[in-house]
Protein backbone atom coordinates (compact mmCIF):
# COMPACT_ATOMS: atom_id res chain seq x y z
CA UNK A 1 0.00 0.00 0.00
CA UNK A 2 1.65 3.28 -1.08
CA UNK A 3 0.07 5.20 1.80
CA UNK A 4 1.26 2.77 4.50
CA UNK A 5 3.08 5.10 6.86
CA UNK A 6 3.85 2.57 9.60
CA UNK A 7 7.09 0.87 8.53
CA UNK A 8 9.84 3.44 8.11
CA UNK A 9 13.38 2.43 7.37
CA UNK A 10 14.97 5.49 5.74
CA UNK A 11 15.62 9.11 6.66
CA UNK A 12 15.29 11.96 4.17
CA UNK A 13 16.81 15.29 5.14
CA UNK A 14 16.67 18.55 3.19
CA UNK A 15 16.36 22.28 3.79
CA UNK A 16 13.25 24.35 3.03
CA UNK A 17 12.35 28.03 3.19
CA UNK A 18 11.08 29.15 6.60
CA UNK A 19 7.70 30.14 5.12
CA UNK A 20 7.19 26.62 3.77
CA UNK A 21 8.07 25.12 7.15
CA UNK A 22 5.58 27.43 8.89
CA UNK A 23 2.86 26.45 6.42
CA UNK A 24 3.61 22.75 6.95
CA UNK A 25 3.51 23.24 10.72
CA UNK A 26 0.14 24.96 10.38
CA UNK A 27 -1.28 22.08 8.32
CA UNK A 28 0.13 19.56 10.79
CA UNK A 29 -1.44 21.38 13.73
CA UNK A 30 -4.83 21.64 12.05
CA UNK A 31 -4.72 17.94 11.13
CA UNK A 32 -3.48 16.79 14.54
CA UNK A 33 -0.43 15.20 12.89
CA UNK A 34 3.32 15.65 13.00
CA UNK A 35 5.12 17.71 10.38
CA UNK A 36 6.88 14.51 9.29
CA UNK A 37 3.53 12.77 8.70
CA UNK A 38 2.24 15.72 6.68
CA UNK A 39 5.42 15.92 4.62
CA UNK A 40 5.29 12.21 3.88
CA UNK A 41 1.62 12.44 2.89
CA UNK A 42 2.37 15.37 0.56
CA UNK A 43 5.36 13.56 -0.92
CA UNK A 44 3.24 10.45 -1.52
CA UNK A 45 0.45 12.52 -3.10
CA UNK A 46 2.89 14.39 -5.33
CA UNK A 47 4.61 11.19 -6.40
CA UNK A 48 1.29 9.53 -7.22
CA UNK A 49 0.34 12.59 -9.31
CA UNK A 50 3.73 12.46 -11.05
CA UNK A 51 3.33 8.76 -11.79
CA UNK A 52 -0.06 9.53 -13.34
CA UNK A 53 0.87 12.67 -15.32
CA UNK A 54 4.62 12.29 -15.84
CA UNK A 55 7.13 15.05 -16.28
CA UNK A 56 4.46 17.57 -17.30
CA UNK A 57 3.30 17.64 -13.67
CA UNK A 58 6.73 18.72 -12.45
CA UNK A 59 7.22 21.17 -15.31
CA UNK A 60 3.89 22.93 -14.59
CA UNK A 61 4.60 23.13 -10.87
CA UNK A 62 8.13 24.47 -11.31
CA UNK A 63 6.94 27.02 -13.89
CA UNK A 64 4.38 28.33 -11.37
CA UNK A 65 7.05 28.55 -8.68
CA UNK A 66 9.37 30.52 -10.99
CA UNK A 67 6.58 33.01 -11.78
CA UNK A 68 6.10 33.65 -8.04
CA UNK A 69 9.80 34.41 -7.51
Amino acid sequence: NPLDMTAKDMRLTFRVHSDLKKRLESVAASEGRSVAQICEAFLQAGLMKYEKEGTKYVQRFLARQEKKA
Side-chain angles (χ1 to χ4, degrees):
N1 180 359
L3 296 178
D4 179 14
M5 296 187 199
T6 57
K8 300 190 194 270
D9 61 351
M10 297 296 295
R11 179 178 299 269
L12 180 62
T13 305
F14 55 93
R15 299 173 69 83
V16 297
H17 292 281
S18 59
D19 180 60
L20 178 57
K21 183 178 178 191
K22 288 175 187 169
R23 292 168 60 202
L24 289 167
E25 289 171 335
S26 177
V27 171
S30 69
E31 295 294 327
R33 304 271 181 183
S34 70
V35 172
Q37 288 173 316
I38 294 302
C39 288
E40 186 168 359
F42 285 164
L43 285 169
Q44 287 280 3
L47 185 57
M48 288 170 53
K49 187 86 166 168
Y50 175 81
E51 289 170 342
K52 183 178 179 182
E53 295 184 20
T55 191
K56 290 179 182 180
Y57 171 70
V58 174
Q59 300 296 328
R60 280 193 314 269
F61 180 80
L62 293 177
R64 274 189 250 134
Q65 292 301 101
E66 289 171 3
K67 286 180 184 176
K68 287 182 182 179

